[in-house]
Amino acid sequence: MESVSSVRRNPGRAKRGGVSLRWRLAVAFRVLAAAVGGYLVAALFSVCLAQWLPFTRAESVVLAMTVSFLAWLLVALWCFACRSVVLAWFGVLLPAGVFASLYGIGRWLS
């Protein structure tokens, strides 16, 4: 005979796999934030860094593009280390806004 706990199911759980839709969507949005947001931050970081480095243009671009992979890695780690998806997106969009502003200031000053 089945016990009462095995008959009752958690209403938040899916029927197959035992994982809720809410959890799956949270993971999907974290992957999206890590991939798309990481690319956004890495691209803005490399453009901003290449603009502000005191080397020749070619050296600045190569160094900035190389270092941008580190920025992408940090964004991806941040997205999966946060407690909520909203905080993950906030941690992606805030540096993107800062790097876009720094790039705009650099273009305005030159």
Side-chain angles (χ1 to χ4, degrees):
M1 182 165 218
E2 294 181 15
S3 67
V4 176
S5 63
S6 66
V7 174
R8 291 183 191 165
R9 293 191 181 251
N10 190 349
R13 299 252 182 199
K15 290 184 180 181
R16 289 189 192 145
V19 178
S20 68
L21 179 64
R22 182 177 177 178
W23 185 82
R24 289 178 193 244
L25 287 175
V27 171
F29 282 123
R30 286 174 193 259
V31 169
L32 187 70
V36 176
Y39 179 78
L40 176 69
V41 170
L44 288 170
F45 178 73
S46 67
V47 169
C48 183
L49 187 62
Q51 182 181 15
W52 288 94
L53 283 174
F55 306 129
T56 63
R57 180 178 279 181
E59 291 174 345
S60 295
V61 168
V62 169
L63 181 63
M65 290 299 292
T66 304
V67 176
S68 72
F69 289 106
L70 180 63
W72 199 336
L73 172 70
L74 292 175
V75 168
L77 288 174
W78 170 260
C79 288
F80 288 99
C82 289
R83 295 185 141 240
S84 70
V85 176
V86 175
L87 186 60
W89 275 104
F90 180 74
V92 168
L93 295 177
L94 182 68
V98 169
F99 292 139
S101 299
L102 286 175
Y103 176 70
I105 289 170
R107 292 290 291 178
W108 182 60
L109 291 176
S110 61

